[in-house]
Amino acid sequence: MENERGSWGSNIGFLLAAIGSAVGLGNIWGFPYKMGKSGGFTFLLVYLALAVFVGFIIMMSELALGRKTGASVVGAYHAVSRKFKWIGWLAMLAPFLIMSFYSVLGGYCIEYMSLNLSNLAFSGAEVKTGSDLFGAMLTNPFGCAMFTILFLVVCLLIVKGGISGGIEKFNNIGMPALFIMLVIIIIRSLTLPGATEGLKFMFVPGYAVKAGFISEAPGLVTVLSTAGGQMFFSLSLAMGAMVTYGSYLDKKENLVKNSAVIVVADTLVALMAGVAVIPAAVANGIAQGIALSDIKLGGPSLLFVTLQDVFQAMGRVGPLFGVIFYLLVLIAAISSAISLMEVLVTFFLDRAKVKGRTGSRSKITLWVSVAILAEALLVAVDGLGSNGLWLPGQGGGATIAGWNDCWLDFMDCWSEGIMMPLGAMLMALMIGWEIKPKSTLEEINHGVAGSTSGLDAFYSVCIKFVVPVAMAFILAGQMISFFGEANSVVCYIISIVILFAFWVVALLGHSKKEN
Ligand code: PHE
């Protein structure tokens, strides 16, 4: 069914785009490291359970909400809810803030890819270590700004092409290419001597502590909230992305199957990325005689210092693997960034329509990119705090633990740390207790053949009870990771108060609005 907003050319096109949105820096960077650090196999089990009981449920809900209303995320919440219609704004602001650092990190990938390309072309030239390179890059604000602009221009050109003409086309080529490159890197990584230590780090329970990679195992609650936060970010949930992509989806497509495919594919790529990255980093560290506890497996240094060193240690073919690796990370970053951008573009397109105008996608995309660039420049020039641009609470590393005094962490804290879990919790309360699961289930079951009673019961229980409670934990955990362990009691109290307050709001005299 074509409409004037445009639509996906095919279901597989939609799937690749949605998987493209999900597969991003979160998978390649966050997942491997968090899995190792938070108990390896235990983390994986918790992650999988959360993906089934929370991620899958919210994925179906978001796609259904988008398809049912055929509107942008703001329009969608306005159409179904009286009390929670403002969540749409939260789901607009969060992707906007995420783009402030996502585009800078995308710029870093372009820079590293070009660097490896030039190492490949001019072999024999003097090569710097990963940490020298990273330091030099961060303290060159002009270079960072230029690469950020370049990244945004690429995204702009894709989004300008529209849903099927731009986003779908890019992902149709980009996703299979990413997969092939990932397999190449996995093969190289696993054939390095010492790679099994890295695999054990990921898959053997308790090994990370025993071998000395980390000093102590985190508690179950920490694992739960780390896995939950990671799962949310990785599946592109509570950011308007899936609502927006769902709004372009045909009524005849099966939302249950589609949601399952997206969740499984995203988790699979996260695991594959782990197997590509961690064994290589560990094997190289061992070969260099570095103590296991000193091998950097987390934070920005994993991708831009440790792995760069791995490629350099590979000799003449190293830069080739470097180019492949940073290109694959770049594709993952672009396919996610365009979904974040599309949330904003769809909103302005729909708004123009409501006002009786036909909005120009090209113009809207340009303005959205300019607005993103303004905030991204702040993050780019700041260089993870290397250039002393940070202002709020300056020098307050002790007072605001985890914020590392830089703009990237500040933006991340608000978007990923607070708005994302809060948005998902409120959405679940809205569907479960205000508008009731039945209306959403009607949309979810559209296009599903056969009896749906089992799924209906599972969905209702999860959306009413499991998701809100899990979200309260995840929200508290995210806040603790940004505000520090010292404030954990306060974070839990805030989170529980929010849960109960909005549950009461949803329950009391629920909306008369018919859907
Ligand atoms: N899922 C993406 C990642 O793993 C990030 C993202 C979040 C993209 C929210 C869109 C919406 O990196």
Side-chain angles (χ1 to χ4, degrees):
M1 185 190 68
E2 271 294 330
N3 60 33
E4 68 233 28
R5 297 167 86 230
S7 61
W8 301 105
S10 66
N11 192 52
I12 180 85
F14 157 75
L15 274 176
L16 287 174
I19 294 171
S21 168
V23 170
L25 296 171
N27 299 57
I28 298 167
W29 186 353
F31 184 87
Y33 155 67
K34 287 179 188 165
M35 179 170 167
K37 197 178 149 208
S38 311
F41 203 62
T42 326
F43 176 92
L44 182 60
L45 292 181
V46 174
Y47 185 95
L48 292 178
L50 284 172
V52 173
F53 293 105
V54 181
F56 174 57
I57 298 292
I58 300 202
M59 182 67 74
M60 285 196 292
S61 312
E62 290 207 10
L63 292 177
L65 194 59
R67 188 171 73 173
K68 179 184 172 123
T69 55
S72 74
V73 68
V74 172
Y77 279 101
H78 267 257
V80 298
S81 168
R82 284 240 165 100
K83 293 173 193 154
F84 292 100
K85 52 184 172 202
W86 51 274
I87 312 178
W89 294 105
L90 211 63
M92 271 262 294
L93 189 58
F96 178 66
L97 294 182
I98 294 243
M99 275 304 279
S100 73
F101 61 89
Y102 221 84
S103 36
V104 175
L105 297 172
Y108 291 172
C109 293
I110 304 183
E111 204 163 340
Y112 268 68
M113 191 185 70
S114 342
L115 214 119
N116 278 282
L117 207 57
S118 84
N119 284 351
L120 190 66
F122 309 104
S123 58
E126 190 223 349
V127 198
K128 287 185 180 162
T129 65
S131 69
D132 284 349
L133 273 175
F134 196 45
M137 181 179 80
L138 293 181
T139 47
N140 175 3
F142 180 74
C144 289
M146 284 301 134
F147 281 103
T148 302
I149 293 175
L150 194 59
F151 180 83
L152 274 173
V153 168
V154 174
C155 295
L156 180 154
L157 291 175
I158 298 168
V159 174
K160 195 165 107 41
I163 293 295
S164 61
I167 297 177
E168 189 170 344
K169 262 196 191 140
F170 174 80
N171 284 295
N172 275 347
I173 301 168
M175 283 304 108
L178 179 143
F179 193 80
I180 294 168
M181 289 190 280
L182 195 52
V183 172
I184 297 176
I185 300 290
I186 288 177
I187 295 173
R188 178 67 280 222
S189 164
L190 290 183
T191 46
L192 290 169
T196 36
E197 283 300 300
L199 283 180
K200 285 194 217 156
F201 170 82
M202 284 180 73
F203 295 106
V204 178
Y207 190 76
V209 181
K210 213 171 86 201
F213 284 110
I214 51 173
S215 53
E216 59 178 319
L220 191 65
V221 176
T222 315
V223 175
L224 195 78
S225 61
T226 314
Q230 172 63 25
M231 188 258 320
F232 253 80
F233 188 74
S234 186
L235 287 175
S236 301
L237 296 174
M239 287 278 175
M242 292 301 167
V243 177
T244 305
Y245 275 12
S247 76
Y248 293 102
L249 190 61
D250 197 290
K251 283 275 184 209
K252 73 174 190 302
E253 307 303 351
N254 185 329
L255 291 187
V256 182
K257 238 191 233 163
N258 277 347
S259 304
V261 171
I262 301 167
V263 174
V264 170
D266 181 68
T267 310
L268 192 71
V269 173
L271 275 171
M272 287 173 72
V275 175
V277 166
I278 300 285
V282 172
N284 190 58
I286 293 173
Q288 312 284 318
I290 303 173
L292 294 185
S293 53
D294 289 338
I295 300 176
K296 293 266 186 295
L297 296 177
S301 58
L302 172 62
L303 282 201
F304 300 113
V305 177
T306 314
L307 278 173
Q308 179 59 27
D309 283 339
V310 171
F311 299 126
Q312 266 156 25
M314 280 179 190
R316 297 218 30 200
V317 289
L320 179 63
F321 285 104
V323 173
I324 296 176
F325 179 75
Y326 291 108
L327 178 62
L328 101 82
V329 185
L330 177 63
I331 293 176
I334 293 174
S335 62
S336 296
I338 53 180
S339 73
L340 290 164
M341 221 159 162
E342 185 58 43
V343 174
L344 304 165
V345 171
T346 296
F347 166 74
F348 286 110
L349 271 175
D350 282 4
R351 206 178 71 143
K353 206 173 122 208
V354 169
K355 295 200 167 164
R357 287 185 268 120
T358 8
S360 146
R361 178 174 269 274
S362 304
K363 258 194 217 148
I364 290 175
T365 311
L366 181 67
W367 283 114
V368 164
S369 308
V370 169
I372 292 172
L373 179 63
E375 49 161 9
L377 282 179
L378 199 63
V379 178
V381 171
D382 187 36
L384 298 180
S386 313
N387 305 319
L389 206 70
W390 171 248
L391 285 176
Q394 186 129 46
T399 42
I400 316 175
W403 274 16
N404 294 332
D405 302 330
C406 77
W407 278 102
L408 189 151
D409 278 6
F410 179 76
M411 300 291 196
D412 192 24
C413 172
W414 283 103
S415 51
E416 195 190 347
I418 294 174
M419 292 179 195
M420 197 154 68
L422 186 63
M425 183 205 282
L426 298 180
M427 181 206 210
L429 291 175
M430 175 191 90
I431 296 179
W433 302 94
E434 188 201 12
I435 64 175
K436 303 286 155 123
K438 197 167 158 273
S439 67
T440 310
L441 274 167
E442 270 163 26
E443 184 64 37
I444 292 176
N445 290 333
H446 214 285
V448 178
S451 160
T452 58
S453 54
L455 177 85
D456 290 3
F458 175 67
Y459 179 85
S460 301
V461 170
C462 287
I463 200 86
K464 281 183 135 173
F465 305 103
V466 183
V467 178
V469 174
M471 288 326 301
F473 265 109
I474 295 170
L475 177 63
Q478 291 285 72
M479 288 197 290
I480 293 167
S481 73
F482 284 101
F483 298 110
E485 287 288 338
N487 300 314
S488 53
V489 177
V490 181
C491 293
Y492 274 110
I493 293 175
I494 293 177
S495 179
I496 290 168
V497 168
I498 292 176
L499 175 67
F500 273 100
F502 284 107
W503 178 63
V504 171
V505 169
L507 205 60
L508 286 181
H510 49 82
S511 179
K512 306 255 170 351
K513 199 155 184 169
E514 264 314 306
N515 308 299

PDB file of all heavy atoms in Angstrom, residues 79 105 112 119 145-146 151 164 184 218 232 246 260 291 303 306 320 339 355 430 484 498 507:
ATOM      1  N   ALA A  79      -1.951  10.218  19.080  1.00  0.00           N
ATOM      2  CA  ALA A  79      -3.139   9.559  18.553  1.00  0.00           C
ATOM      3  C   ALA A  79      -3.715   8.524  19.511  1.00  0.00           C
ATOM      4  O   ALA A  79      -4.916   8.294  19.521  1.00  0.00           O
ATOM      5  CB  ALA A  79      -2.811   8.895  17.218  1.00  0.00           C
ATOM      6  N   LEU A 105      31.537   9.869  16.743  1.00  0.00           N
ATOM      7  CA  LEU A 105      32.161   8.533  16.719  1.00  0.00           C
ATOM      8  C   LEU A 105      32.221   8.001  15.289  1.00  0.00           C
ATOM      9  O   LEU A 105      33.198   7.364  14.893  1.00  0.00           O
ATOM     10  CB  LEU A 105      31.378   7.571  17.622  1.00  0.00           C
ATOM     11  CG  LEU A 105      31.360   7.950  19.115  1.00  0.00           C
ATOM     12  CD1 LEU A 105      30.411   7.047  19.900  1.00  0.00           C
ATOM     13  CD2 LEU A 105      32.760   7.864  19.719  1.00  0.00           C
ATOM     14  N   TYR A 112      39.902   6.708  11.089  1.00  0.00           N
ATOM     15  CA  TYR A 112      40.718   5.502  11.254  1.00  0.00           C
ATOM     16  C   TYR A 112      40.760   4.664   9.984  1.00  0.00           C
ATOM     17  O   TYR A 112      41.769   4.030   9.681  1.00  0.00           O
ATOM     18  CB  TYR A 112      40.195   4.666  12.440  1.00  0.00           C
ATOM     19  CG  TYR A 112      40.890   5.026  13.727  1.00  0.00           C
ATOM     20  CD1 TYR A 112      40.681   6.264  14.315  1.00  0.00           C
ATOM     21  CD2 TYR A 112      41.780   4.148  14.337  1.00  0.00           C
ATOM     22  CE1 TYR A 112      41.336   6.603  15.487  1.00  0.00           C
ATOM     23  CE2 TYR A 112      42.438   4.490  15.509  1.00  0.00           C
ATOM     24  CZ  TYR A 112      42.211   5.717  16.081  1.00  0.00           C
ATOM     25  OH  TYR A 112      42.867   6.060  17.235  1.00  0.00           O
ATOM     26  N   ASN A 119      48.172   3.787   5.437  1.00  0.00           N
ATOM     27  CA  ASN A 119      49.230   2.853   5.869  1.00  0.00           C
ATOM     28  C   ASN A 119      49.396   1.725   4.858  1.00  0.00           C
ATOM     29  O   ASN A 119      50.492   1.227   4.625  1.00  0.00           O
ATOM     30  CB  ASN A 119      48.898   2.228   7.226  1.00  0.00           C
ATOM     31  CG  ASN A 119      49.132   3.201   8.363  1.00  0.00           C
ATOM     32  OD1 ASN A 119      49.701   4.270   8.154  1.00  0.00           O
ATOM     33  ND2 ASN A 119      48.665   2.848   9.543  1.00  0.00           N
ATOM     34  N   ALA A 145      36.133  17.864  13.812  1.00  0.00           N
ATOM     35  CA  ALA A 145      34.952  18.564  13.304  1.00  0.00           C
ATOM     36  C   ALA A 145      34.743  18.224  11.824  1.00  0.00           C
ATOM     37  O   ALA A 145      33.616  17.945  11.395  1.00  0.00           O
ATOM     38  CB  ALA A 145      35.121  20.068  13.492  1.00  0.00           C
ATOM     39  N   MET A 146      35.824  18.191  11.066  1.00  0.00           N
ATOM     40  CA  MET A 146      35.703  17.917   9.625  1.00  0.00           C
ATOM     41  C   MET A 146      35.165  16.501   9.374  1.00  0.00           C
ATOM     42  O   MET A 146      34.294  16.303   8.535  1.00  0.00           O
ATOM     43  CB  MET A 146      37.087  18.043   8.939  1.00  0.00           C
ATOM     44  CG  MET A 146      37.536  19.456   8.736  1.00  0.00           C
ATOM     45  SD  MET A 146      36.324  20.295   7.711  1.00  0.00           S
ATOM     46  CE  MET A 146      36.111  21.796   8.551  1.00  0.00           C
ATOM     47  N   PHE A 151      30.728  12.670   8.054  1.00  0.00           N
ATOM     48  CA  PHE A 151      29.793  11.602   8.443  1.00  0.00           C
ATOM     49  C   PHE A 151      28.350  12.078   8.282  1.00  0.00           C
ATOM     50  O   PHE A 151      27.495  11.378   7.733  1.00  0.00           O
ATOM     51  CB  PHE A 151      30.062  11.174   9.896  1.00  0.00           C
ATOM     52  CG  PHE A 151      29.150  10.076  10.382  1.00  0.00           C
ATOM     53  CD1 PHE A 151      29.419   8.743  10.101  1.00  0.00           C
ATOM     54  CD2 PHE A 151      28.017  10.376  11.127  1.00  0.00           C
ATOM     55  CE1 PHE A 151      28.571   7.725  10.548  1.00  0.00           C
ATOM     56  CE2 PHE A 151      27.165   9.364  11.568  1.00  0.00           C
ATOM     57  CZ  PHE A 151      27.447   8.045  11.285  1.00  0.00           C
ATOM     58  N   SER A 164      12.313   4.281   0.782  1.00  0.00           N
ATOM     59  CA  SER A 164      12.762   3.174  -0.070  1.00  0.00           C
ATOM     60  C   SER A 164      13.923   3.586  -0.975  1.00  0.00           C
ATOM     61  O   SER A 164      14.797   2.783  -1.279  1.00  0.00           O
ATOM     62  CB  SER A 164      11.599   2.620  -0.891  1.00  0.00           C
ATOM     63  OG  SER A 164      11.096   3.637  -1.722  1.00  0.00           O
ATOM     64  N   ILE A 184      35.081 -12.129   7.989  1.00  0.00           N
ATOM     65  CA  ILE A 184      36.526 -12.072   7.683  1.00  0.00           C
ATOM     66  C   ILE A 184      37.325 -11.720   8.942  1.00  0.00           C
ATOM     67  O   ILE A 184      38.324 -12.357   9.278  1.00  0.00           O
ATOM     68  CB  ILE A 184      36.811 -11.015   6.579  1.00  0.00           C
ATOM     69  CG1 ILE A 184      36.118 -11.427   5.271  1.00  0.00           C
ATOM     70  CG2 ILE A 184      38.317 -10.826   6.365  1.00  0.00           C
ATOM     71  CD1 ILE A 184      36.247 -10.417   4.157  1.00  0.00           C
ATOM     72  N   PRO A 218      30.822  -8.264  39.231  1.00  0.00           N
ATOM     73  CA  PRO A 218      29.730  -7.384  39.635  1.00  0.00           C
ATOM     74  C   PRO A 218      28.550  -8.183  40.180  1.00  0.00           C
ATOM     75  O   PRO A 218      28.379  -9.348  39.828  1.00  0.00           O
ATOM     76  CB  PRO A 218      29.350  -6.677  38.326  1.00  0.00           C
ATOM     77  CG  PRO A 218      29.844  -7.554  37.240  1.00  0.00           C
ATOM     78  CD  PRO A 218      30.967  -8.374  37.785  1.00  0.00           C
ATOM     79  N   PHE A 232      18.592  -2.343  25.421  1.00  0.00           N
ATOM     80  CA  PHE A 232      17.749  -1.257  24.918  1.00  0.00           C
ATOM     81  C   PHE A 232      18.407  -0.443  23.838  1.00  0.00           C
ATOM     82  O   PHE A 232      17.848  -0.195  22.776  1.00  0.00           O
ATOM     83  CB  PHE A 232      17.425  -0.313  26.071  1.00  0.00           C
ATOM     84  CG  PHE A 232      16.039  -0.517  26.442  1.00  0.00           C
ATOM     85  CD1 PHE A 232      15.704  -1.578  27.236  1.00  0.00           C
ATOM     86  CD2 PHE A 232      15.064   0.278  25.920  1.00  0.00           C
ATOM     87  CE1 PHE A 232      14.412  -1.840  27.522  1.00  0.00           C
ATOM     88  CE2 PHE A 232      13.758   0.021  26.200  1.00  0.00           C
ATOM     89  CZ  PHE A 232      13.432  -1.038  27.011  1.00  0.00           C
ATOM     90  N   GLY A 246       8.213   1.608  11.683  1.00  0.00           N
ATOM     91  CA  GLY A 246       6.942   0.873  11.630  1.00  0.00           C
ATOM     92  C   GLY A 246       5.860   1.654  10.909  1.00  0.00           C
ATOM     93  O   GLY A 246       4.966   1.069  10.286  1.00  0.00           O
ATOM     94  N   ALA A 260      10.782 -10.671  15.964  1.00  0.00           N
ATOM     95  CA  ALA A 260      11.673 -11.766  16.382  1.00  0.00           C
ATOM     96  C   ALA A 260      12.941 -11.757  15.538  1.00  0.00           C
ATOM     97  O   ALA A 260      14.052 -11.909  16.069  1.00  0.00           O
ATOM     98  CB  ALA A 260      10.939 -13.100  16.261  1.00  0.00           C
ATOM     99  N   ALA A 291      50.170  -7.486  30.904  1.00  0.00           N
ATOM    100  CA  ALA A 291      49.422  -8.244  31.913  1.00  0.00           C
ATOM    101  C   ALA A 291      47.937  -8.214  31.550  1.00  0.00           C
ATOM    102  O   ALA A 291      47.445  -7.193  31.051  1.00  0.00           O
ATOM    103  CB  ALA A 291      49.628  -7.619  33.285  1.00  0.00           C
ATOM    104  N   LEU A 303      38.156   0.268  20.688  1.00  0.00           N
ATOM    105  CA  LEU A 303      38.123   0.370  19.224  1.00  0.00           C
ATOM    106  C   LEU A 303      39.278   1.164  18.652  1.00  0.00           C
ATOM    107  O   LEU A 303      39.818   0.829  17.613  1.00  0.00           O
ATOM    108  CB  LEU A 303      36.828   1.056  18.762  1.00  0.00           C
ATOM    109  CG  LEU A 303      35.546   0.269  18.728  1.00  0.00           C
ATOM    110  CD1 LEU A 303      34.560   0.929  17.792  1.00  0.00           C
ATOM    111  CD2 LEU A 303      35.781  -1.149  18.286  1.00  0.00           C
ATOM    112  N   THR A 306      43.312  -0.142  21.330  1.00  0.00           N
ATOM    113  CA  THR A 306      43.681  -1.558  21.386  1.00  0.00           C
ATOM    114  C   THR A 306      43.623  -2.212  20.003  1.00  0.00           C
ATOM    115  O   THR A 306      44.569  -2.864  19.576  1.00  0.00           O
ATOM    116  CB  THR A 306      42.742  -2.295  22.368  1.00  0.00           C
ATOM    117  OG1 THR A 306      42.639  -1.517  23.551  1.00  0.00           O
ATOM    118  CG2 THR A 306      43.272  -3.665  22.706  1.00  0.00           C
ATOM    119  N   LEU A 320      45.180  -3.704   5.921  1.00  0.00           N
ATOM    120  CA  LEU A 320      44.057  -4.195   5.127  1.00  0.00           C
ATOM    121  C   LEU A 320      42.910  -4.609   6.059  1.00  0.00           C
ATOM    122  O   LEU A 320      41.756  -4.244   5.861  1.00  0.00           O
ATOM    123  CB  LEU A 320      44.512  -5.383   4.269  1.00  0.00           C
ATOM    124  CG  LEU A 320      43.410  -5.998   3.398  1.00  0.00           C
ATOM    125  CD1 LEU A 320      42.912  -4.993   2.378  1.00  0.00           C
ATOM    126  CD2 LEU A 320      43.923  -7.248   2.692  1.00  0.00           C
ATOM    127  N   SER A 339      18.633   6.046  10.995  1.00  0.00           N
ATOM    128  CA  SER A 339      17.334   5.791  11.618  1.00  0.00           C
ATOM    129  C   SER A 339      17.038   6.840  12.683  1.00  0.00           C
ATOM    130  O   SER A 339      15.899   7.246  12.884  1.00  0.00           O
ATOM    131  CB  SER A 339      17.280   4.381  12.216  1.00  0.00           C
ATOM    132  OG  SER A 339      18.047   4.285  13.390  1.00  0.00           O
ATOM    133  N   LYS A 355      -0.256  20.815   8.749  1.00  0.00           N
ATOM    134  CA  LYS A 355      -0.493  22.235   8.504  1.00  0.00           C
ATOM    135  C   LYS A 355      -0.924  22.495   7.062  1.00  0.00           C
ATOM    136  O   LYS A 355      -0.960  23.638   6.612  1.00  0.00           O
ATOM    137  CB  LYS A 355       0.767  23.030   8.815  1.00  0.00           C
ATOM    138  CG  LYS A 355       1.115  22.969  10.288  1.00  0.00           C
ATOM    139  CD  LYS A 355       2.028  24.086  10.687  1.00  0.00           C
ATOM    140  CE  LYS A 355       2.083  24.173  12.208  1.00  0.00           C
ATOM    141  NZ  LYS A 355       3.192  24.947  12.687  1.00  0.00           N
ATOM    142  N   MET A 430       1.534   2.879  29.694  1.00  0.00           N
ATOM    143  CA  MET A 430       0.472   3.409  28.833  1.00  0.00           C
ATOM    144  C   MET A 430      -0.291   2.263  28.165  1.00  0.00           C
ATOM    145  O   MET A 430      -1.519   2.198  28.230  1.00  0.00           O
ATOM    146  CB  MET A 430       1.085   4.331  27.775  1.00  0.00           C
ATOM    147  CG  MET A 430       0.094   4.831  26.761  1.00  0.00           C
ATOM    148  SD  MET A 430       0.929   5.646  25.375  1.00  0.00           S
ATOM    149  CE  MET A 430       1.183   4.269  24.270  1.00  0.00           C
ATOM    150  N   GLY A 484      27.106   7.323  39.916  1.00  0.00           N
ATOM    151  CA  GLY A 484      28.013   6.692  40.868  1.00  0.00           C
ATOM    152  C   GLY A 484      27.318   5.813  41.897  1.00  0.00           C
ATOM    153  O   GLY A 484      26.159   6.049  42.261  1.00  0.00           O
ATOM    154  N   ILE A 498       8.931   6.970  40.495  1.00  0.00           N
ATOM    155  CA  ILE A 498       8.451   7.260  39.132  1.00  0.00           C
ATOM    156  C   ILE A 498       7.519   6.147  38.656  1.00  0.00           C
ATOM    157  O   ILE A 498       6.432   6.394  38.139  1.00  0.00           O
ATOM    158  CB  ILE A 498       9.644   7.416  38.151  1.00  0.00           C
ATOM    159  CG1 ILE A 498      10.438   8.678  38.477  1.00  0.00           C
ATOM    160  CG2 ILE A 498       9.151   7.472  36.699  1.00  0.00           C
ATOM    161  CD1 ILE A 498      11.679   8.874  37.621  1.00  0.00           C
ATOM    162  N   LEU A 507      -3.624   4.324  35.669  1.00  0.00           N
ATOM    163  CA  LEU A 507      -4.742   3.538  36.159  1.00  0.00           C
ATOM    164  C   LEU A 507      -5.988   4.373  36.409  1.00  0.00           C
ATOM    165  O   LEU A 507      -7.102   3.977  36.073  1.00  0.00           O
ATOM    166  CB  LEU A 507      -4.292   2.878  37.471  1.00  0.00           C
ATOM    167  CG  LEU A 507      -4.983   1.613  37.888  1.00  0.00           C
ATOM    168  CD1 LEU A 507      -4.776   0.543  36.824  1.00  0.00           C
ATOM    169  CD2 LEU A 507      -4.383   1.137  39.212  1.00  0.00           C
TER     170      LEU A 507
END
